[in-house]
Amino acid sequence: MARRKFTTSLPAPYLKRVTVIAEKYDPGQGYPFDLPWLDADFALDFTTPVTVLVGENGTGKSTLIEALAAMAGYDEAGGGKGYRPLDHSRALEKSGAALGGTFRGGWLPKVTDGWFFRAESFYTVARHLDEAALDAGEAPPDFLSWSHGEGFLRVFAERCRRQGIYFLDEPESALSPRRQLELLRLLNEIQTGAGAQVIMAIHSPILMALPGARLLEITRLGIAETDYRNTRHFRLYRSFAADPEEFIAEALRGEW
């Protein structure tokens, strides 16, 4: 019997708060339990339908997305509930999903249907969807007949209009700046309609500027709310646009 999906008339966000289960937290296990912003008293609140995580490479923003997705019941490779398109038994890279078991989610209500979007594993997940549809005697969605970015947008456009929670890990890596504007419009529908929740990790100043979204910056010192104009990402792009030649000269001298 198919699992009945839970729906609610309450607005997003559904995941309100995440805390650490102290007895399961052991930084001695190494990554991902030894991240500098993580400790036994860690807590993170979600107050808007769309939450944006930013930070430099290595600060743990993708790790946090992976952990939150795992806590909500998603496979670390991405996809929807119940999908396991990849064999992880011989994987060499450690995933933040291991951290999910130490997190406790505060839900109101507990809406966990949705999707975990990872640009790096999109091809594998899309192929899995085609194969699953064919096995069921159905027409495959055929996301792979589109370009990588167009297929990614098509998946998200179809899924995000459903009530649920969506985790996105650096979606802009599959998108041109113009396509990022299309994603921005989709995210704005979610932010204003509050019919779904999105938690995403990005580098794109365009997506950081989503009106009404809560922007959190992750550094070695912790996680703090900020304005996109104050991020290093935005300042870097603004300096380039103001004087490209001087910016490049400074970058080549190692001043950025």
Side-chain angles (χ1 to χ4, degrees):
M1 179 180 296
R3 181 171 61 93
R4 183 179 179 183
K5 292 186 177 182
F6 175 79
T7 59
T8 179
S9 60
L10 293 175
Y14 309 119
L15 177 60
K16 305 287 188 182
R17 184 176 174 85
V18 170
T19 55
V20 166
I21 303 173
E23 58 269 25
K24 293 186 177 181
Y25 170 68
D26 179 11
Q29 298 180 70
Y31 177 84
F33 303 93
D34 59 353
L35 289 164
W37 45 263
L38 184 67
D39 57 34
D41 297 320
F42 174 82
L44 184 61
D45 294 311
F46 300 95
T47 58
T48 54
V50 179
T51 301
V52 180
L53 303 174
V54 302
E56 293 296 326
N57 291 334
T59 55
K61 62 185 184 304
S62 291
T63 299
L64 180 54
I65 290 290
E66 291 167 352
L68 293 172
M71 181 194 70
Y74 292 90
D75 184 74
E76 60 195 270
K81 279 293 185 70
Y83 295 171
R84 191 173 175 81
L86 296 181
D87 177 11
H88 308 293
S89 61
R90 300 180 65 184
L92 298 178
E93 179 182 358
K94 290 187 176 180
S95 168
L99 188 60
T102 68
F103 278 174
R104 178 184 288 115
W107 304 81
L108 187 63
K110 192 171 184 179
V111 176
T112 62
D113 285 314
W115 199 267
F116 177 21
F117 292 84
R118 298 190 68 186
E120 62 190 36
S121 60
F122 172 77
Y123 178 87
T124 303
V125 172
R127 184 176 58 189
H128 172 79
L129 291 175
D130 284 348
E131 293 172 349
L134 290 171
D135 290 343
E138 303 171 353
D142 194 23
F143 295 117
L144 296 178
S145 65
W146 303 68
S147 72
H148 188 74
E150 288 173 328
F152 186 90
L153 276 174
R154 185 181 165 206
V155 173
F156 187 69
E158 291 184 6
R159 304 284 169 167
C160 76
R161 289 186 169 90
R162 307 174 188 178
Q163 188 173 79
I165 185 166
Y166 300 88
F167 303 94
L168 281 69
D169 185 22
E170 299 184 9
E172 74 277 13
S173 63
L175 303 174
S176 69
R178 184 186 179 100
R179 295 300 188 190
Q180 289 180 41
L181 294 177
E182 293 183 35
L183 178 57
L184 184 71
R185 287 190 286 269
L186 290 170
L187 291 168
N188 189 58
E189 289 182 23
I190 294 177
Q191 177 61 33
T192 57
Q197 181 174 5
V198 170
I199 304 172
M200 63 180 186
I202 61 172
H203 290 291
S204 166
I206 291 175
L207 299 178
M208 290 179 201
L210 177 67
R214 189 177 187 217
L215 180 62
L216 300 173
E217 185 171 24
I218 302 181
T219 68
R220 296 185 62 82
L221 301 178
I223 303 176
E225 189 165 354
T226 188
D227 184 276
Y228 73 92
R229 299 174 186 85
N230 296 328
T231 64
R232 180 177 176 84
H233 304 71
F234 179 81
R235 295 198 306 269
L236 187 149
Y237 277 89
R238 181 174 57 189
S239 296
F240 173 77
D243 190 342
E245 290 77 13
E246 180 59 25
F247 175 88
I248 295 300
E250 292 176 355
L252 294 176
R253 293 195 298 266
E255 297 177 18
W256 278 97

